Amino acid sequence: MSEKVYIETSILGYLTARSTKNLILAANIEVTKEWWEAHSSAFTLYVSQVVLDEAARGDAEIALKRLEILNGLPLVDLNQSVRSLAAQFLSRSNLPSKASDDAVHIAAATVHGLDYLLTWNCKHIANAQIQRKLEEIGLDFGYQLPVICTPYELLGD
């Protein structure tokens, strides 16, 4: 059985990003595309309705590309357990209230027992200081946080 990965919306942003002269962003775009093309098939990928909603925003042409990429990926249920854990993340951690969708992403991957949460959101999700507190909160409710990482960390050998 393959490991399970929650694909957070920022991954789709990098998969559909226009070229840039910013070397760091360009490298991240390339790593994301490499992971998607060469490594994603080794995992079972999941998204949530929040990912679909976020992917549909913005430039219509690029939003359509993002939604096409997501077509056919299974959705995790945003049930009451997910909503409750997300609320706990927001009230008891250093996540700002404006990061409510980020809290839902983390809670969805956590409640559904996924192995990884793949993201480029290093401000609110792949943030070591925030993760420490989220892990503590998750344990209080009997959950273990997934490994939260960028595509660099899931490239394999």
Side-chain angles (χ1 to χ4, degrees), residues 17-64:
R18 294 184 172 99
S19 62
T20 178
K21 291 183 180 185
N22 179 311
L23 295 179
I24 293 171
L25 289 178
N28 291 349
I29 290 167
E30 289 308 308
V31 166
T32 305
K33 289 178 180 179
E34 176 188 341
W35 183 85
W36 193 264
E37 293 166 7
H39 301 279
S40 67
S41 62
F43 301 93
T44 303
L45 308 180
Y46 292 88
V47 294
S48 69
Q49 187 61 50
V50 175
V51 174
L52 294 176
D53 294 346
E54 289 178 332
R57 295 181 191 143
D59 179 277
E61 182 180 330
I62 293 175
L64 183 60

mmCIF file of all heavy atoms in Angstrom, residues 17-64:
data_model
loop_
_atom_site.group_PDB
_atom_site.id
_atom_site.type_symbol
_atom_site.label_atom_id
_atom_site.label_comp_id
_atom_site.label_asym_id
_atom_site.label_seq_id
_atom_site.Cartn_x
_atom_site.Cartn_y
_atom_site.Cartn_z
ATOM 1 N N ALA A 17 2.597 27.639 -12.667
ATOM 2 C CA ALA A 17 3.200 28.977 -12.642
ATOM 3 C C ALA A 17 3.833 29.336 -13.980
ATOM 4 O O ALA A 17 4.379 28.479 -14.685
ATOM 5 C CB ALA A 17 4.255 29.050 -11.542
ATOM 6 N N ARG A 18 3.755 30.597 -14.265
ATOM 7 C CA ARG A 18 4.453 31.119 -15.447
ATOM 8 C C ARG A 18 5.946 31.196 -15.117
ATOM 9 O O ARG A 18 6.329 31.271 -13.957
ATOM 10 C CB ARG A 18 3.907 32.491 -15.805
ATOM 11 C CG ARG A 18 2.459 32.432 -16.272
ATOM 12 C CD ARG A 18 1.970 33.812 -16.724
ATOM 13 N NE ARG A 18 0.670 33.724 -17.342
ATOM 14 C CZ ARG A 18 -0.480 34.004 -16.724
ATOM 15 N NH1 ARG A 18 -0.462 34.397 -15.467
ATOM 16 N NH2 ARG A 18 -1.622 33.906 -17.351
ATOM 17 N N SER A 19 6.770 31.212 -16.142
ATOM 18 C CA SER A 19 8.213 31.281 -15.911
ATOM 19 C C SER A 19 8.560 32.596 -15.221
ATOM 20 O O SER A 19 7.857 33.590 -15.356
ATOM 21 C CB SER A 19 8.984 31.130 -17.222
ATOM 22 O OG SER A 19 8.653 32.175 -18.100
ATOM 23 N N THR A 20 9.661 32.556 -14.484
ATOM 24 C CA THR A 20 10.085 33.720 -13.725
ATOM 25 C C THR A 20 11.599 33.841 -13.772
ATOM 26 O O THR A 20 12.295 32.836 -13.952
ATOM 27 C CB THR A 20 9.608 33.615 -12.252
ATOM 28 O OG1 THR A 20 10.092 34.749 -11.530
ATOM 29 C CG2 THR A 20 10.106 32.342 -11.585
ATOM 30 N N LYS A 21 12.089 35.052 -13.580
ATOM 31 C CA LYS A 21 13.532 35.275 -13.513
ATOM 32 C C LYS A 21 14.053 35.131 -12.088
ATOM 33 O O LYS A 21 15.247 35.101 -11.878
ATOM 34 C CB LYS A 21 13.873 36.656 -14.070
ATOM 35 C CG LYS A 21 13.643 36.747 -15.565
ATOM 36 C CD LYS A 21 14.043 38.086 -16.118
ATOM 37 C CE LYS A 21 13.780 38.095 -17.615
ATOM 38 N NZ LYS A 21 14.238 39.301 -18.259
ATOM 39 N N ASN A 22 13.135 35.033 -11.123
ATOM 40 C CA ASN A 22 13.518 34.820 -9.726
ATOM 41 C C ASN A 22 14.062 33.397 -9.615
ATOM 42 O O ASN A 22 13.331 32.415 -9.795
ATOM 43 C CB ASN A 22 12.302 35.015 -8.821
ATOM 44 C CG ASN A 22 12.621 34.796 -7.359
ATOM 45 O OD1 ASN A 22 13.237 33.799 -6.980
ATOM 46 N ND2 ASN A 22 12.165 35.715 -6.532
ATOM 47 N N LEU A 23 15.351 33.276 -9.338
ATOM 48 C CA LEU A 23 16.011 31.968 -9.370
ATOM 49 C C LEU A 23 15.452 30.981 -8.350
ATOM 50 O O LEU A 23 15.332 29.793 -8.630
ATOM 51 C CB LEU A 23 17.518 32.138 -9.173
ATOM 52 C CG LEU A 23 18.251 32.893 -10.278
ATOM 53 C CD1 LEU A 23 19.726 33.016 -9.949
ATOM 54 C CD2 LEU A 23 18.061 32.221 -11.620
ATOM 55 N N ILE A 24 15.105 31.461 -7.177
ATOM 56 C CA ILE A 24 14.562 30.567 -6.148
ATOM 57 C C ILE A 24 13.195 30.047 -6.570
ATOM 58 O O ILE A 24 12.929 28.843 -6.508
ATOM 59 C CB ILE A 24 14.512 31.269 -4.775
ATOM 60 C CG1 ILE A 24 15.947 31.537 -4.300
ATOM 61 C CG2 ILE A 24 13.737 30.441 -3.756
ATOM 62 C CD1 ILE A 24 16.042 32.415 -3.083
ATOM 63 N N LEU A 25 12.335 30.952 -7.012
ATOM 64 C CA LEU A 25 11.012 30.519 -7.469
ATOM 65 C C LEU A 25 11.123 29.587 -8.672
ATOM 66 O O LEU A 25 10.410 28.585 -8.750
ATOM 67 C CB LEU A 25 10.138 31.724 -7.820
ATOM 68 C CG LEU A 25 9.646 32.567 -6.652
ATOM 69 C CD1 LEU A 25 8.830 33.750 -7.152
ATOM 70 C CD2 LEU A 25 8.836 31.730 -5.680
ATOM 71 N N ALA A 26 12.009 29.906 -9.600
ATOM 72 C CA ALA A 26 12.193 29.058 -10.779
ATOM 73 C C ALA A 26 12.642 27.653 -10.377
ATOM 74 O O ALA A 26 12.153 26.655 -10.912
ATOM 75 C CB ALA A 26 13.200 29.688 -11.742
ATOM 76 N N ALA A 27 13.549 27.576 -9.408
ATOM 77 C CA ALA A 27 14.007 26.266 -8.931
ATOM 78 C C ALA A 27 12.864 25.515 -8.258
ATOM 79 O O ALA A 27 12.686 24.305 -8.491
ATOM 80 C CB ALA A 27 15.174 26.432 -7.957
ATOM 81 N N ASN A 28 12.078 26.195 -7.449
ATOM 82 C CA ASN A 28 10.953 25.545 -6.784
ATOM 83 C C ASN A 28 9.911 25.052 -7.787
ATOM 84 O O ASN A 28 9.329 23.976 -7.617
ATOM 85 C CB ASN A 28 10.301 26.491 -5.778
ATOM 86 C CG ASN A 28 11.184 26.762 -4.579
ATOM 87 O OD1 ASN A 28 12.202 26.112 -4.372
ATOM 88 N ND2 ASN A 28 10.794 27.740 -3.785
ATOM 89 N N ILE A 29 9.688 25.826 -8.835
ATOM 90 C CA ILE A 29 8.765 25.410 -9.900
ATOM 91 C C ILE A 29 9.280 24.130 -10.545
ATOM 92 O O ILE A 29 8.531 23.164 -10.742
ATOM 93 C CB ILE A 29 8.586 26.537 -10.945
ATOM 94 C CG1 ILE A 29 7.794 27.701 -10.337
ATOM 95 C CG2 ILE A 29 7.915 26.006 -12.209
ATOM 96 C CD1 ILE A 29 7.834 28.986 -11.158
ATOM 97 N N GLU A 30 10.561 24.106 -10.863
ATOM 98 C CA GLU A 30 11.137 22.921 -11.516
ATOM 99 C C GLU A 30 11.105 21.698 -10.616
ATOM 100 O O GLU A 30 10.799 20.584 -11.065
ATOM 101 C CB GLU A 30 12.566 23.209 -11.994
ATOM 102 C CG GLU A 30 12.626 24.145 -13.175
ATOM 103 C CD GLU A 30 11.728 23.714 -14.336
ATOM 104 O OE1 GLU A 30 11.814 22.542 -14.773
ATOM 105 O OE2 GLU A 30 10.915 24.541 -14.792
ATOM 106 N N VAL A 31 11.415 21.869 -9.348
ATOM 107 C CA VAL A 31 11.378 20.742 -8.408
ATOM 108 C C VAL A 31 9.949 20.221 -8.265
ATOM 109 O O VAL A 31 9.721 19.010 -8.223
ATOM 110 C CB VAL A 31 11.956 21.158 -7.031
ATOM 111 C CG1 VAL A 31 11.627 20.141 -5.948
ATOM 112 C CG2 VAL A 31 13.459 21.333 -7.139
ATOM 113 N N THR A 32 8.994 21.127 -8.224
ATOM 114 C CA THR A 32 7.594 20.717 -8.110
ATOM 115 C C THR A 32 7.181 19.920 -9.335
ATOM 116 O O THR A 32 6.550 18.861 -9.219
ATOM 117 C CB THR A 32 6.679 21.945 -7.938
ATOM 118 O OG1 THR A 32 7.142 22.695 -6.816
ATOM 119 C CG2 THR A 32 5.237 21.536 -7.737
ATOM 120 N N LYS A 33 7.537 20.398 -10.506
ATOM 121 C CA LYS A 33 7.188 19.686 -11.742
ATOM 122 C C LYS A 33 7.893 18.330 -11.800
ATOM 123 O O LYS A 33 7.295 17.327 -12.205
ATOM 124 C CB LYS A 33 7.532 20.534 -12.968
ATOM 125 C CG LYS A 33 6.592 21.718 -13.116
ATOM 126 C CD LYS A 33 6.957 22.587 -14.294
ATOM 127 C CE LYS A 33 5.985 23.756 -14.412
ATOM 128 N NZ LYS A 33 6.312 24.638 -15.533
ATOM 129 N N GLU A 34 9.148 18.283 -11.374
ATOM 130 C CA GLU A 34 9.880 17.012 -11.351
ATOM 131 C C GLU A 34 9.199 16.025 -10.399
ATOM 132 O O GLU A 34 9.006 14.857 -10.734
ATOM 133 C CB GLU A 34 11.336 17.228 -10.919
ATOM 134 C CG GLU A 34 12.112 15.924 -10.789
ATOM 135 C CD GLU A 34 13.493 16.106 -10.188
ATOM 136 O OE1 GLU A 34 14.018 17.226 -10.185
ATOM 137 O OE2 GLU A 34 14.035 15.090 -9.712
ATOM 138 N N TRP A 35 8.837 16.506 -9.204
ATOM 139 C CA TRP A 35 8.189 15.616 -8.252
ATOM 140 C C TRP A 35 6.876 15.098 -8.817
ATOM 141 O O TRP A 35 6.589 13.912 -8.764
ATOM 142 C CB TRP A 35 7.927 16.333 -6.908
ATOM 143 C CG TRP A 35 7.323 15.366 -5.926
ATOM 144 C CD1 TRP A 35 7.996 14.503 -5.123
ATOM 145 C CD2 TRP A 35 5.933 15.130 -5.697
ATOM 146 N NE1 TRP A 35 7.107 13.732 -4.410
ATOM 147 C CE2 TRP A 35 5.837 14.099 -4.747
ATOM 148 C CE3 TRP A 35 4.751 15.673 -6.209
ATOM 149 C CZ2 TRP A 35 4.609 13.613 -4.283
ATOM 150 C CZ3 TRP A 35 3.535 15.198 -5.748
ATOM 151 C CH2 TRP A 35 3.485 14.176 -4.798
ATOM 152 N N TRP A 36 6.090 16.003 -9.397
ATOM 153 C CA TRP A 36 4.784 15.617 -9.916
ATOM 154 C C TRP A 36 4.923 14.585 -11.037
ATOM 155 O O TRP A 36 4.209 13.579 -11.054
ATOM 156 C CB TRP A 36 4.036 16.859 -10.413
ATOM 157 C CG TRP A 36 2.585 16.577 -10.661
ATOM 158 C CD1 TRP A 36 2.004 16.256 -11.850
ATOM 159 C CD2 TRP A 36 1.535 16.578 -9.696
ATOM 160 N NE1 TRP A 36 0.656 16.062 -11.684
ATOM 161 C CE2 TRP A 36 0.344 16.251 -10.370
ATOM 162 C CE3 TRP A 36 1.489 16.824 -8.323
ATOM 163 C CZ2 TRP A 36 -0.883 16.165 -9.721
ATOM 164 C CZ3 TRP A 36 0.265 16.740 -7.684
ATOM 165 C CH2 TRP A 36 -0.905 16.412 -8.382
ATOM 166 N N GLU A 37 5.843 14.833 -11.946
ATOM 167 C CA GLU A 37 5.996 13.959 -13.117
ATOM 168 C C GLU A 37 6.691 12.639 -12.789
ATOM 169 O O GLU A 37 6.333 11.597 -13.328
ATOM 170 C CB GLU A 37 6.763 14.702 -14.218
ATOM 171 C CG GLU A 37 5.972 15.863 -14.791
ATOM 172 C CD GLU A 37 6.814 16.822 -15.622
ATOM 173 O OE1 GLU A 37 7.998 16.547 -15.886
ATOM 174 O OE2 GLU A 37 6.268 17.882 -15.991
ATOM 175 N N ALA A 38 7.685 12.670 -11.913
ATOM 176 C CA ALA A 38 8.506 11.470 -11.693
ATOM 177 C C ALA A 38 8.248 10.747 -10.379
ATOM 178 O O ALA A 38 8.615 9.581 -10.254
ATOM 179 C CB ALA A 38 9.994 11.857 -11.778
ATOM 180 N N HIS A 39 7.640 11.406 -9.405
ATOM 181 C CA HIS A 39 7.529 10.801 -8.070
ATOM 182 C C HIS A 39 6.106 10.688 -7.529
ATOM 183 O O HIS A 39 5.862 9.861 -6.653
ATOM 184 C CB HIS A 39 8.397 11.572 -7.069
ATOM 185 C CG HIS A 39 9.833 11.604 -7.445
ATOM 186 N ND1 HIS A 39 10.691 10.568 -7.202
ATOM 187 C CD2 HIS A 39 10.563 12.552 -8.087
ATOM 188 C CE1 HIS A 39 11.893 10.867 -7.662
ATOM 189 N NE2 HIS A 39 11.844 12.069 -8.202
ATOM 190 N N SER A 40 5.202 11.501 -8.018
ATOM 191 C CA SER A 40 3.854 11.509 -7.428
ATOM 192 C C SER A 40 3.145 10.167 -7.587
ATOM 193 O O SER A 40 2.330 9.790 -6.743
ATOM 194 C CB SER A 40 3.003 12.632 -8.013
ATOM 195 O OG SER A 40 2.732 12.397 -9.388
ATOM 196 N N SER A 41 3.465 9.431 -8.638
ATOM 197 C CA SER A 41 2.792 8.145 -8.872
ATOM 198 C C SER A 41 3.147 7.097 -7.817
ATOM 199 O O SER A 41 2.465 6.078 -7.708
ATOM 200 C CB SER A 41 3.119 7.625 -10.268
ATOM 201 O OG SER A 41 4.509 7.403 -10.384
ATOM 202 N N ALA A 42 4.174 7.342 -7.036
ATOM 203 C CA ALA A 42 4.554 6.413 -5.965
ATOM 204 C C ALA A 42 3.668 6.590 -4.727
ATOM 205 O O ALA A 42 3.782 5.824 -3.776
ATOM 206 C CB ALA A 42 6.016 6.619 -5.583
ATOM 207 N N PHE A 43 2.798 7.587 -4.750
ATOM 208 C CA PHE A 43 1.957 7.914 -3.606
ATOM 209 C C PHE A 43 0.485 7.902 -4.018
ATOM 210 O O PHE A 43 0.167 8.012 -5.198
ATOM 211 C CB PHE A 43 2.298 9.320 -3.078
ATOM 212 C CG PHE A 43 3.727 9.477 -2.652
ATOM 213 C CD1 PHE A 43 4.687 9.961 -3.535
ATOM 214 C CD2 PHE A 43 4.120 9.147 -1.363
ATOM 215 C CE1 PHE A 43 6.003 10.115 -3.147
ATOM 216 C CE2 PHE A 43 5.444 9.291 -0.962
ATOM 217 C CZ PHE A 43 6.385 9.774 -1.854
ATOM 218 N N THR A 44 -0.383 7.816 -3.036
ATOM 219 C CA THR A 44 -1.805 8.041 -3.259
ATOM 220 C C THR A 44 -2.067 9.487 -2.862
ATOM 221 O O THR A 44 -1.781 9.879 -1.728
ATOM 222 C CB THR A 44 -2.671 7.086 -2.407
ATOM 223 O OG1 THR A 44 -2.294 5.736 -2.709
ATOM 224 C CG2 THR A 44 -4.141 7.282 -2.714
ATOM 225 N N LEU A 45 -2.561 10.279 -3.804
ATOM 226 C CA LEU A 45 -2.734 11.713 -3.609
ATOM 227 C C LEU A 45 -4.167 12.043 -3.218
ATOM 228 O O LEU A 45 -5.109 11.457 -3.761
ATOM 229 C CB LEU A 45 -2.365 12.469 -4.887
ATOM 230 C CG LEU A 45 -1.001 12.152 -5.500
ATOM 231 C CD1 LEU A 45 -0.788 12.987 -6.752
ATOM 232 C CD2 LEU A 45 0.119 12.369 -4.495
ATOM 233 N N TYR A 46 -4.306 12.981 -2.296
ATOM 234 C CA TYR A 46 -5.611 13.440 -1.834
ATOM 235 C C TYR A 46 -5.648 14.954 -1.809
ATOM 236 O O TYR A 46 -4.625 15.609 -1.622
ATOM 237 C CB TYR A 46 -5.890 12.957 -0.406
ATOM 238 C CG TYR A 46 -6.069 11.472 -0.291
ATOM 239 C CD1 TYR A 46 -4.970 10.641 -0.097
ATOM 240 C CD2 TYR A 46 -7.333 10.895 -0.372
ATOM 241 C CE1 TYR A 46 -5.121 9.268 0.014
ATOM 242 C CE2 TYR A 46 -7.486 9.517 -0.260
ATOM 243 C CZ TYR A 46 -6.386 8.710 -0.069
ATOM 244 O OH TYR A 46 -6.538 7.358 0.041
ATOM 245 N N VAL A 47 -6.847 15.492 -1.970
ATOM 246 C CA VAL A 47 -7.100 16.922 -1.803
ATOM 247 C C VAL A 47 -8.399 17.062 -1.012
ATOM 248 O O VAL A 47 -9.031 16.061 -0.680
ATOM 249 C CB VAL A 47 -7.200 17.669 -3.157
ATOM 250 C CG1 VAL A 47 -5.867 17.659 -3.886
ATOM 251 C CG2 VAL A 47 -8.296 17.077 -4.037
ATOM 252 N N SER A 48 -8.786 18.292 -0.758
ATOM 253 C CA SER A 48 -10.061 18.557 -0.083
ATOM 254 C C SER A 48 -10.830 19.589 -0.898
ATOM 255 O O SER A 48 -10.298 20.185 -1.844
ATOM 256 C CB SER A 48 -9.818 19.087 1.328
ATOM 257 O OG SER A 48 -9.264 20.391 1.265
ATOM 258 N N GLN A 49 -12.061 19.822 -0.483
ATOM 259 C CA GLN A 49 -12.871 20.841 -1.139
ATOM 260 C C GLN A 49 -12.220 22.217 -1.012
ATOM 261 O O GLN A 49 -12.337 23.040 -1.919
ATOM 262 C CB GLN A 49 -14.289 20.861 -0.562
ATOM 263 C CG GLN A 49 -15.234 21.790 -1.310
ATOM 264 C CD GLN A 49 -15.409 21.397 -2.772
ATOM 265 O OE1 GLN A 49 -15.677 20.249 -3.087
ATOM 266 N NE2 GLN A 49 -15.251 22.370 -3.669
ATOM 267 N N VAL A 50 -11.502 22.453 0.064
ATOM 268 C CA VAL A 50 -10.810 23.742 0.226
ATOM 269 C C VAL A 50 -9.766 23.913 -0.878
ATOM 270 O O VAL A 50 -9.628 25.000 -1.452
ATOM 271 C CB VAL A 50 -10.160 23.870 1.625
ATOM 272 C CG1 VAL A 50 -9.352 25.148 1.748
ATOM 273 C CG2 VAL A 50 -11.214 23.820 2.706
ATOM 274 N N VAL A 51 -9.058 22.844 -1.217
ATOM 275 C CA VAL A 51 -8.075 22.905 -2.310
ATOM 276 C C VAL A 51 -8.792 23.227 -3.619
ATOM 277 O O VAL A 51 -8.345 24.099 -4.388
ATOM 278 C CB VAL A 51 -7.273 21.587 -2.430
ATOM 279 C CG1 VAL A 51 -6.367 21.610 -3.653
ATOM 280 C CG2 VAL A 51 -6.459 21.333 -1.170
ATOM 281 N N LEU A 52 -9.899 22.546 -3.885
ATOM 282 C CA LEU A 52 -10.648 22.817 -5.118
ATOM 283 C C LEU A 52 -11.115 24.267 -5.172
ATOM 284 O O LEU A 52 -11.006 24.921 -6.213
ATOM 285 C CB LEU A 52 -11.848 21.874 -5.232
ATOM 286 C CG LEU A 52 -11.537 20.397 -5.416
ATOM 287 C CD1 LEU A 52 -12.825 19.583 -5.420
ATOM 288 C CD2 LEU A 52 -10.732 20.142 -6.673
ATOM 289 N N ASP A 53 -11.621 24.771 -4.051
ATOM 290 C CA ASP A 53 -12.099 26.155 -4.006
ATOM 291 C C ASP A 53 -10.956 27.138 -4.250
ATOM 292 O O ASP A 53 -11.096 28.092 -5.025
ATOM 293 C CB ASP A 53 -12.760 26.455 -2.656
ATOM 294 C CG ASP A 53 -14.046 25.661 -2.434
ATOM 295 O OD1 ASP A 53 -14.582 25.087 -3.405
ATOM 296 O OD2 ASP A 53 -14.484 25.600 -1.269
ATOM 297 N N GLU A 54 -9.833 26.919 -3.593
ATOM 298 C CA GLU A 54 -8.684 27.821 -3.771
ATOM 299 C C GLU A 54 -8.133 27.723 -5.190
ATOM 300 O O GLU A 54 -7.754 28.733 -5.787
ATOM 301 C CB GLU A 54 -7.587 27.490 -2.763
ATOM 302 C CG GLU A 54 -7.931 27.868 -1.340
ATOM 303 C CD GLU A 54 -6.861 27.487 -0.333
ATOM 304 O OE1 GLU A 54 -6.112 26.505 -0.555
ATOM 305 O OE2 GLU A 54 -6.767 28.183 0.691
ATOM 306 N N ALA A 55 -8.085 26.518 -5.748
ATOM 307 C CA ALA A 55 -7.539 26.316 -7.098
ATOM 308 C C ALA A 55 -8.402 26.996 -8.158
ATOM 309 O O ALA A 55 -7.901 27.377 -9.220
ATOM 310 C CB ALA A 55 -7.413 24.826 -7.396
ATOM 311 N N ALA A 56 -9.685 27.163 -7.878
ATOM 312 C CA ALA A 56 -10.601 27.764 -8.845
ATOM 313 C C ALA A 56 -10.504 29.295 -8.881
ATOM 314 O O ALA A 56 -11.049 29.919 -9.792
ATOM 315 C CB ALA A 56 -12.035 27.348 -8.516
ATOM 316 N N ARG A 57 -9.794 29.877 -7.924
ATOM 317 C CA ARG A 57 -9.682 31.340 -7.849
ATOM 318 C C ARG A 57 -8.600 31.870 -8.791
ATOM 319 O O ARG A 57 -7.696 31.152 -9.178
ATOM 320 C CB ARG A 57 -9.357 31.768 -6.425
ATOM 321 C CG ARG A 57 -10.438 31.457 -5.437
ATOM 322 C CD ARG A 57 -10.059 31.923 -4.042
ATOM 323 N NE ARG A 57 -10.986 31.383 -3.066
ATOM 324 C CZ ARG A 57 -10.652 30.978 -1.850
ATOM 325 N NH1 ARG A 57 -9.403 31.080 -1.434
ATOM 326 N NH2 ARG A 57 -11.555 30.491 -1.050
ATOM 327 N N GLY A 58 -8.700 33.157 -9.069
ATOM 328 C CA GLY A 58 -7.650 33.823 -9.846
ATOM 329 C C GLY A 58 -7.874 33.756 -11.344
ATOM 330 O O GLY A 58 -9.004 33.565 -11.815
ATOM 331 N N ASP A 59 -6.787 33.915 -12.084
ATOM 332 C CA ASP A 59 -6.812 33.896 -13.544
ATOM 333 C C ASP A 59 -7.578 32.669 -14.038
ATOM 334 O O ASP A 59 -7.235 31.531 -13.693
ATOM 335 C CB ASP A 59 -5.367 33.877 -14.054
ATOM 336 C CG ASP A 59 -5.292 33.843 -15.561
ATOM 337 O OD1 ASP A 59 -5.396 32.735 -16.136
ATOM 338 O OD2 ASP A 59 -5.112 34.910 -16.174
ATOM 339 N N ALA A 60 -8.608 32.890 -14.841
ATOM 340 C CA ALA A 60 -9.505 31.808 -15.270
ATOM 341 C C ALA A 60 -8.776 30.707 -16.028
ATOM 342 O O ALA A 60 -9.048 29.518 -15.828
ATOM 343 C CB ALA A 60 -10.640 32.379 -16.114
ATOM 344 N N GLU A 61 -7.859 31.077 -16.912
ATOM 345 C CA GLU A 61 -7.140 30.088 -17.717
ATOM 346 C C GLU A 61 -6.246 29.200 -16.834
ATOM 347 O O GLU A 61 -6.226 27.984 -16.973
ATOM 348 C CB GLU A 61 -6.290 30.807 -18.769
ATOM 349 C CG GLU A 61 -5.532 29.874 -19.697
ATOM 350 C CD GLU A 61 -4.697 30.638 -20.713
ATOM 351 O OE1 GLU A 61 -5.086 31.770 -21.091
ATOM 352 O OE2 GLU A 61 -3.650 30.094 -21.126
ATOM 353 N N ILE A 62 -5.533 29.819 -15.911
ATOM 354 C CA ILE A 62 -4.647 29.054 -15.026
ATOM 355 C C ILE A 62 -5.470 28.270 -14.008
ATOM 356 O O ILE A 62 -5.127 27.125 -13.676
ATOM 357 C CB ILE A 62 -3.618 29.989 -14.356
ATOM 358 C CG1 ILE A 62 -2.678 30.537 -15.443
ATOM 359 C CG2 ILE A 62 -2.827 29.250 -13.288
ATOM 360 C CD1 ILE A 62 -1.680 31.551 -14.965
ATOM 361 N N ALA A 63 -6.572 28.838 -13.539
ATOM 362 C CA ALA A 63 -7.450 28.110 -12.614
ATOM 363 C C ALA A 63 -7.969 26.840 -13.279
ATOM 364 O O ALA A 63 -8.020 25.775 -12.646
ATOM 365 C CB ALA A 63 -8.609 29.000 -12.178
ATOM 366 N N LEU A 64 -8.313 26.932 -14.553
ATOM 367 C CA LEU A 64 -8.780 25.751 -15.286
ATOM 368 C C LEU A 64 -7.685 24.681 -15.344
ATOM 369 O O LEU A 64 -7.957 23.492 -15.144
ATOM 370 C CB LEU A 64 -9.234 26.144 -16.694
ATOM 371 C CG LEU A 64 -9.804 25.024 -17.552
ATOM 372 C CD1 LEU A 64 -11.030 24.406 -16.884
ATOM 373 C CD2 LEU A 64 -10.155 25.543 -18.928
#
